[in-house]
Amino acid sequence: CRFYLQPLSGPLLGTPSVLSIVSFSTLQVFNAKTAELLSHHQVEIKQSFPKEGWVEEDPREILQSVYECMERTCEKLTQLNIDISNIKAIGVTNQRETTLVWDKETGEPLYNAIVWLDLRTQSTVERLINKTPGRNKNHLKTGLPISTYFSAVKLRWLVDNVLEVHEAVQSHRAMFGTIDSWLIWCLTGGRNGGVHCTDVTNASRTMLFNIHTMDWDPELCKYFDIPMEILPKVRSSSEIYGLMCLGDQSAALVGQMCFQDGHAKNTAGLIALLSLSFQPVMSDHGLLTTVAYKLGRDKPAYYALEGSVAIAGAVVQWLKDNLGIVQSSVEIENLAAAVGTSYGCYFVPAFSGLYAPYWEPSARGIICGLTQFTNRSHLAFAALEAVCFQTREILDAMNQDSGIPLTQLQVDGGMTSNRLLMQLQADILCIPVVKPSMPETTALGAAMAAGAAEGVSVWSLKPEDLTAVTCEKFEPQINPEESEFRYARWKKAVQKAMNWETTEPVANGNGIIFSSVPLGFYILGSMFMLIGAKYIAG
C-alpha cells in the first residue's frame, strides 16, 4: 500500500461543496501494484481574509487536519480488512508557494501561513521590478518573474512586518518552509529532531533557489535579505527522509506519466510542459521555468515550462458563491449547455491580476460584450470559455518557447468532471483533450514517487512497467476559423482588463491623493465616480 497525503490549496472545479478559494487536506491510499485507490479521507481547512487581497491559513489547523485524515483513513482501511502495517511509504504533495515561519525551539508557528494567492506584497514587487534590470522578465537563476505568487516576497514581508518573526530570525530560532516542510518537520518529531527539508520542486518556487546549481543561491538570499540558515535542506523528490514531498503540479506530471519530451498536462488551470533536457529552457513568452522532478538522490533533474493561471476553475465557484446566480457547479454546466454560446459575452477573471503569460498585477476582472439579450446562461458559458482561453494563451506560449507543437493535452483534477468544459477546451485549443479515468493523478504521482524511492522500491517508474491508464478523448468539434475568432475577441477583452489597479499615489486637481484604487475611479469625472463606486462596490 502507498499512503498519500495532500494539503491542497487552490481553485477547484466540479466539487459542489467548495468555495471560491478552497483548501483541503486529503489523504489517499493506493495499491502499489495496481494503482487502485483503496481508501481516502478529506478535511476542509478554513481560510481567513484579514484585509482585501490577504489570504491566510492557520498552520496548526493544517497539521490537525492531517492527523484527522490519517486517523479516519486508517479506520476505513481496517473496516475493509486491510492491514495498515502493509503501508510502505508516506508522501506529501502540496501547493508550492504558500509560506510560513515557525519557532524551532517551541515548535509553534509565528504567524499564519500566507497563501499563494495573497496580494499583500504587491507594492514590494513593484519596487523590486522597478529596480531590477529586465523588470518583470524571468530571472535567469530562478526561471521565475518577480511576483506576489512566489515565496521570497512573502517571507520578506513576514520578517519586516511580524515582530515575532523578526525576533526569531535575529535569535536564530526561525525556520522557513512551504507547507511540505512544515508537515514533514512536525510529523518527523518537530522540536525533538524533526527533519527540516523540502524537495527541489517546492524549492524552485521560492525565488531563492538556483535551478542550475539545484541549491539555495547566496546572491538571491542576499538580494531578498533572507538568512540562509532558516531555509530547509533541499532533497530530491523520491528518497527516504521521513516523508516524501512533491509539489502538486510536479506530482501530477508523474501521475499523468509525462516522462517523454513534449508531454503536457493541465491541473486546475496550471499547465506544465515537460522537456527531457537536463538544462532548463528559459521562456521568452511569459512562462515559468521550473523543476519538474528529481526522482532520486543521484538521479538527474528534469525541467518543465509552466503557465500559472491565478483564477481558472474557481471562476465558476465565484459565480455561485459571490453572485449567487446558480446553486451548484453542476447547474452552471447545464445552463451553459442549454445555450451553447456566450452570445458575444467574454469574462476575464483577473481577480488577483493576471499570471502567465502576462504577469500583470494591475489587471482586474471584467465581463464585457453584454447586451439586453445576455442572460445568466450566456454568462455561465463565458465563465467556462474563460478557463479554456487562459489555457490556450499558455499553450501558445509553450509552443513558441519549446518549438515542440503539442498534439494533445492531458487533463486531471476536479475540473475534468465537467464534460462541456472538456469539449470547449478541445474546441478552443484545436487539439484533442485526454481525460484519465482516475482524475486525481496528483495523488497518484505522489504515490509513485514515494513508492519508487530507494529503500522502498515497491513501484517501478520504468515506462515498460507502467500500467496503461484508461482515458477518454475529446476531439475538436468546431472549425479552426471559429476558434480563432473567439480567441481573438478574448484577447481583446484581456487588454481591457489591464492597468485597472495601482498602488502608486495619484493626485487629482484639488491636491487630493488617491492610492490603491481602480484607475477608472479618477478618469471618469466626478459625477460618474460616485455611480461607478456604487456599482463596483455592489
Side-chain angles (χ1 to χ4, degrees):
C1 292
R2 164 65 178 77
F3 197 54
Y4 157 80
L5 175 64
Q6 181 184 25
L8 173 64
S9 176
L12 298 178
L13 175 63
T15 308
S17 62
V18 300
L19 303 176
S20 295
I21 303 172
V22 67
S23 188
F24 291 107
S25 280
T26 303
L27 189 145
Q28 299 183 7
V29 181
F30 290 91
N31 185 311
K33 296 186 181 298
T34 66
E36 176 190 3
L37 177 62
L38 300 176
S39 182
H40 72 282
H41 191 78
Q42 180 171 281
V43 175
E44 185 172 345
I45 299 169
K46 295 178 183 177
Q47 292 189 324
S48 59
F49 309 90
K51 297 181 181 180
E52 183 179 359
W54 292 28
V55 189
E56 299 178 358
E57 293 175 0
D58 184 347
R60 301 176 189 86
E61 183 181 349
I62 295 173
L63 181 60
Q64 186 56 45
S65 70
V66 168
Y67 289 139
E68 182 178 343
C69 283
M70 288 181 170
E71 184 176 347
R72 297 284 88 81
T73 303
C74 287
E75 289 177 358
K76 293 177 181 179
L77 289 172
T78 301
Q79 293 169 3
L80 294 171
N81 295 319
I82 297 175
D83 187 351
I84 61 174
S85 66
N86 288 332
I87 295 172
K88 301 300 182 185
I90 301 174
V92 176
T93 179
N94 57 290
Q95 206 292 324
R96 296 160 294 180
E97 296 82 10
T98 299
T99 301
L100 67 155
V101 179
W102 64 95
D103 189 317
K104 65 182 177 182
E105 294 182 3
T106 67
E108 291 296 314
L110 298 171
Y111 190 79
N112 280 342
I114 300 180
V115 175
W116 62 280
L117 200 59
D118 187 283
L119 291 177
R120 75 187 68 190
T121 58
Q122 184 169 330
S123 59
T124 302
V125 166
E126 290 173 358
R127 287 196 299 270
L128 290 170
I129 290 173
N130 289 334
K131 76 171 187 177
T132 303
R135 296 176 67 84
N136 209 24
K137 296 294 184 181
N138 291 13
H139 194 286
L140 293 178
K141 287 186 176 182
T142 67
L144 310 173
I146 299 174
S147 169
T148 60
Y149 189 14
F150 306 110
S151 302
V153 288
K154 302 180 194 296
L155 178 55
R156 185 68 255 157
W157 185 93
L158 286 168
V159 175
D160 291 339
N161 294 276
V162 180
L163 180 60
E164 292 82 358
V165 174
H166 178 78
E167 291 178 344
V169 169
Q170 293 297 313
S171 60
H172 309 288
R173 294 180 291 108
M175 302 182 95
F176 154 79
T178 44
I179 296 299
D180 60 305
S181 296
W182 164 245
L183 293 178
I184 291 171
W185 187 79
C186 291
L187 295 174
T188 56
R191 58 181 179 172
N192 298 314
V195 177
H196 187 211
C197 69
T198 188
D199 88 317
V200 292
T201 71
N202 284 286
S204 71
R205 309 295 286 200
T206 61
M207 295 200 75
L208 301 172
F209 184 78
N210 188 319
I211 61 175
H212 304 275
T213 65
M214 297 299 287
D215 206 348
W216 302 119
D217 189 273
E219 290 185 0
L220 290 171
C221 291
K222 183 177 181 180
Y223 178 78
F224 287 101
D225 195 17
I226 301 298
M228 296 185 70
E229 67 180 37
I230 76 172
L231 305 177
K233 183 177 176 64
V234 181
R235 310 285 285 273
S236 77
S237 306
S238 181
E239 62 177 274
I240 298 175
Y241 44 83
L243 291 174
M244 302 298 130
C245 65
L246 194 65
D248 60 343
Q249 297 302 315
S250 300
L253 270 176
V254 178
Q256 286 274 23
M257 301 181 189
C258 292
F259 298 123
Q260 297 181 28
D261 204 14
H263 275 190
K265 67 90 204 165
N266 183 359
T267 302
L270 287 97
I271 304 165
L273 173 70
L274 182 66
S275 169
L276 284 184
S277 171
F278 296 154
Q279 299 297 322
V281 176
M282 306 308 293
S283 175
D284 294 322
H285 300 90
L287 301 179
L288 310 178
T289 303
T290 195
V291 179
Y293 44 69
K294 185 177 187 291
L295 298 176
R297 185 179 302 173
D298 301 320
K299 298 296 178 65
Y302 290 89
Y303 295 89
L305 289 171
E306 181 179 299
S308 303
V309 177
I311 301 294
V315 67
V316 178
Q317 297 302 135
W318 181 82
L319 292 176
K320 169 183 173 289
D321 298 328
N322 292 46
L323 296 191
I325 66 172
V326 293
Q327 299 303 311
S328 69
S329 298
V330 174
E331 185 180 356
I332 290 176
E333 181 177 0
N334 294 337
L335 283 173
V339 290
T341 177
S342 69
Y343 199 74
C345 174
Y346 288 84
F347 191 166
V348 182
F351 301 148
S352 300
L354 288 168
Y355 284 8
Y358 302 101
W359 298 104
E360 182 50 70
S362 71
R364 286 297 178 267
I366 65 168
I367 302 172
C368 59
L370 301 176
T371 69
Q372 283 185 307
F373 182 73
T374 307
N375 59 37
R376 65 179 187 143
S377 295
H378 300 124
L379 189 56
F381 195 95
L384 296 183
E385 270 196 321
V387 177
C388 304
F389 288 133
Q390 290 179 98
T391 303
R392 169 71 185 270
E393 288 187 308
I394 291 172
L395 287 189
D396 281 358
M398 285 184 174
N399 283 333
Q400 294 177 73
D401 276 330
S402 69
I404 304 172
L406 299 176
T407 57
Q408 68 178 31
L409 178 68
Q410 296 167 228
V411 295
D412 57 86
M415 61 185 290
T416 60
S417 64
N418 189 318
R419 296 182 60 82
L420 176 60
L421 178 60
M422 296 298 97
Q423 185 58 57
L424 281 174
Q425 190 72 89
D427 291 343
I428 298 300
L429 297 180
C430 300
I431 59 174
V433 169
V434 179
K435 168 190 170 182
S437 57
M438 202 281 285
E440 296 302 333
T441 51
T442 299
L444 180 60
M448 294 165 66
E454 183 179 354
V456 180
S457 303
V458 296
W459 209 311
S460 172
L461 298 183
K462 295 179 180 178
E464 61 269 21
D465 295 333
L466 295 175
T467 304
V469 177
T470 304
C471 297
E472 180 179 7
K473 182 178 287 189
F474 294 82
E475 299 281 356
Q477 293 183 354
I478 65 173
N479 62 59
E481 291 77 15
E482 181 181 348
S483 175
E484 291 301 322
F485 173 79
R486 287 154 62 177
Y487 183 48
R489 297 293 291 272
W490 158 263
K491 300 280 281 188
K492 183 178 179 180
V494 168
Q495 292 305 311
K496 302 293 185 183
M498 295 289 194
N499 302 313
W500 191 263
E501 184 86 9
T502 179
T503 59
E504 297 299 322
V506 178
N508 68 3
N510 299 319
I512 300 175
I513 300 296
F514 296 83
S515 70
S516 296
V517 295
L519 292 175
F521 274 25
Y522 43 79
I523 65 173
L524 295 179
S526 58
M527 180 174 70
F528 289 98
M529 278 169 53
L530 295 177
I531 297 173
K534 176 181 178 181
Y535 283 102
I536 291 172

